[in-house]
Each structure stands twice: as C-alpha cells, then as structure tokens.
C-alpha cells in the first residue's frame, strides 16, 4: 500500500542577512522642506486596526520629512507597478548622498551602492500626484489603495545591538481611498480580496499573488466586528 503521509521536512539552521518574508510594497509620500513631495518605496510595514508601524532608517529623507511634518500617505502598489517601484528603488530625496563619507553610515552605504539623488520622484517614476484631503503630502493616482496618515509615535529600535540607526514610526490612518475596481460589490467599506493584487517584496524580489489557497477561519468573524478596535475613518457609502 502506498503511504499518503507527507515526508518529514529536513530543517537546516541558517543565518539570514535579511528577514523579508513577504510584505506589501508601500510607496510613502512625504512633504519636502520646499513643499514638493518625496516618494520612498519600502516593505517594512504592518497594520493593527487603523495604525501602521513603519520601520525606517533614522536619517532617511522620508523619516526626516515625517518627523518634521507629522504627515504622510501610505500608497499600496499593485502587482502591475513593478516598473515604477524599481524606478524608485535606488533613489533618494537627499542631495547629501552625493558627498557622503565613510563615517556617515547609512548615507555612505547608499552612495556606495549606487543610489541616485532625484528631487522629482513623481516624474522620475512616471507617477501622478493627487491632492490629499486631510494631509499635505500627495497621493499616488496609480496605487489602488492610498491611506492619509499622521505620525503618533516614534520608537527607537535595536538599542541592544551594535547596529543602530533604525526606528519604528507609528502612524494613524485618517482617511482611506481605493480604486473602484477593488471594492467589494454591495459592501461600502470592504476591499474584495479576490480583486486586490498587492505587489509583494520577498527577500529583495517582487511578487504578486498567485491566487487563493483557502479561506481563513477568521473569515467567520464579520469585518465590521473589528471596527470598535480600530476607530477607522473609512469610505462613505457603497454600491
């Protein structure tokens, strides 16, 4: 008789240099001192209720902008936007990168790895700015989901390690905008997971979703049951 038991996995101990197991690509827009807008692609982000934690370098241009203005927009890229994300991948909104020296840590790392100073990120990536409603930074029209947000908390990371210079920024989502074609029919405030196709960063490679593999038991809890825990301001109305 043929056994249907799956073989026991052979686990190996490794020491990864990065731990990007697979998270959505976020294009963060912030306001520059000259009132133009910067865009930074990142994937170290996670949500709980209407709060999002962003893991960023403490001296990155986006971090400096966000700490100064307390405002940003979290634009979620779709799996059709890899070209635009790659156009932004090795760019910086800080001209200081051009002259960074070895003792300047992360800035020097960027310079040595070919980062390019780009002031007009929208033009460089062929993206379209849209006016936000509650914050100053522009939204990105091409992104199917855009969350206007404000900074509510700053937390130093890696205080027990030799490598420092990273912080976690807690932002509160104030208003959420989505493309009509990813909304769930008949539900005013829901995104249809069968229509939403996020761009995923997994170990420095870009992926899309390959289709549903099953439903979570958590789906038995209605989405509206969570609203009391998030107090989010969502889309009004529905079709």
């Amino acid at each position: 008789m043929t056994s249907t038991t799956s073989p026991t996995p052979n686990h190996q101990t490794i020491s990864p240099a990065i731990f990007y197991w697979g998270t959505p690509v976020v294009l963060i827009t912030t306001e520059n001192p000259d009132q133009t807008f910067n865009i930074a692609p990142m994937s170290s982000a996670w949500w709980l209720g209407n709060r999002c934690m962003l893991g960023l370098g403490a001296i990155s241009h986006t971090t400096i902008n966000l700490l100064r203005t307390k405002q940003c927009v979290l634009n979620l890229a779709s799996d059709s936007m890899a070209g635009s994300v790659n156009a932004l991948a090795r760019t910086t909104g800080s001209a200081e990168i051009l002259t960074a020296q070895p003792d300047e840590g992360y800035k020097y790392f960027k310079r040595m790895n070919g980062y390019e100073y780009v002031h007009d990120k929208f033009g460089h990536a062929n993206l379209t700015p849209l006016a936000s409603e509650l914050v100053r930074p522009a939204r990105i029209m091409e992104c199917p989901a855009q969350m206007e947000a404000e900074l509510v908390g700053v937390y130093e990371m890696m205080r027990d390690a030799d490598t420092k210079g990273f912080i976690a920024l807690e932002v509160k989502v104030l208003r959420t905008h989505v493309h009509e074609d990813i909304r769930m029919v008949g539900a005013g405030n829901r995104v249809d997971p069968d229509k939403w196709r996020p761009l995923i960063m997994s170990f420095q490679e870009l992926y899309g979703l390959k289709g549903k593999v099953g439903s979570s038991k958590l789906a038995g809890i209605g989405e509206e049951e969570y609203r009391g825990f998030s107090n989010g301001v969502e889309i009004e109305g529905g079709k």
Side-chain angles (χ1 to χ4, degrees), residues 106-175:
Y106 192 48
K107 289 183 181 179
Y108 186 71
F109 169 85
K110 286 187 172 183
R111 178 187 170 191
M112 291 297 98
N113 280 277
Y115 278 67
E116 174 188 5
Y117 167 62
V118 175
H119 187 67
D120 179 12
K121 298 284 192 73
F122 276 95
H124 185 77
N126 196 28
L127 295 171
T128 310
L130 284 178
S132 294
E133 297 177 358
L134 300 177
V135 300
R136 277 279 306 160
R139 296 179 283 141
I140 299 176
M141 183 183 74
E142 290 78 7
C143 289
Q146 310 136 12
M147 289 160 278
E148 300 181 38
E150 65 178 0
L151 181 67
V152 294
V154 180
Y155 311 95
E156 184 182 355
M157 296 187 66
M158 302 185 183
R159 287 179 290 180
D160 62 335
D162 293 334
T163 303
K164 300 184 186 299
F166 295 95
I167 58 177
L169 302 169
E170 179 186 355
V171 299
K172 178 181 179 181
V173 176
L174 303 175
R175 183 155 294 176

Side-chain angles (χ1 to χ4, degrees), residues 4-225:
T4 59
T5 304
S6 299
T8 301
N10 182 15
H11 293 93
Q12 302 292 327
T13 299
I14 65 173
S15 179
I18 57 176
F19 289 87
Y20 292 119
W21 296 102
T23 48
V25 173
V26 185
L27 299 181
I28 306 177
T29 49
T30 54
E31 185 177 12
N32 295 317
D34 64 0
Q35 298 184 326
T36 60
F37 303 116
N38 186 63
I39 308 175
M42 59 89 73
S43 62
S44 295
W46 60 275
W47 283 261
L48 185 62
N50 68 336
R51 305 299 173 101
C52 181
M53 295 298 295
L54 306 169
L56 293 167
I59 60 172
S60 75
H61 193 64
T62 291
T63 299
I64 293 171
N65 280 348
L66 186 49
L67 291 175
R68 185 185 69 256
T69 68
K70 308 294 190 293
Q71 296 183 341
C72 68
V73 179
L74 309 178
N75 304 273
L76 298 185
S78 70
D79 61 5
S80 65
M81 295 180 65
S84 294
V85 171
N86 277 328
L88 295 165
R90 288 194 181 185
T91 64
T92 175
S94 174
E96 297 177 3
I97 194 71
L98 301 175
T99 57
Q101 298 302 306
D103 61 349
E104 294 184 87
Y106 192 48
K107 289 183 181 179
Y108 186 71
F109 169 85
K110 286 187 172 183
R111 178 187 170 191
M112 291 297 98
N113 280 277
Y115 278 67
E116 174 188 5
Y117 167 62
V118 175
H119 187 67
D120 179 12
K121 298 284 192 73
F122 276 95
H124 185 77
N126 196 28
L127 295 171
T128 310
L130 284 178
S132 294
E133 297 177 358
L134 300 177
V135 300
R136 277 279 306 160
R139 296 179 283 141
I140 299 176
M141 183 183 74
E142 290 78 7
C143 289
Q146 310 136 12
M147 289 160 278
E148 300 181 38
E150 65 178 0
L151 181 67
V152 294
V154 180
Y155 311 95
E156 184 182 355
M157 296 187 66
M158 302 185 183
R159 287 179 290 180
D160 62 335
D162 293 334
T163 303
K164 300 184 186 299
F166 295 95
I167 58 177
L169 302 169
E170 179 186 355
V171 299
K172 178 181 179 181
V173 176
L174 303 175
R175 183 155 294 176
T176 302
H177 312 266
V178 297
H179 288 183
E180 181 70 24
D181 58 7
I182 68 169
R183 292 179 66 179
M184 182 173 287
V185 176
N189 294 307
R190 295 187 64 182
V191 170
D192 190 331
D194 287 328
K195 298 175 180 178
W196 168 227
R197 291 291 178 265
L199 186 65
I200 302 295
M201 168 71 78
S202 177
F203 290 99
Q204 296 186 292
E205 300 293 340
L206 298 173
Y207 293 88
L209 300 179
K210 292 185 178 180
K212 185 185 293 185
V213 297
S215 295
S216 167
K217 288 186 177 180
L218 289 174
I221 303 174
E223 285 193 12
E224 290 298 319
E225 297 298 319

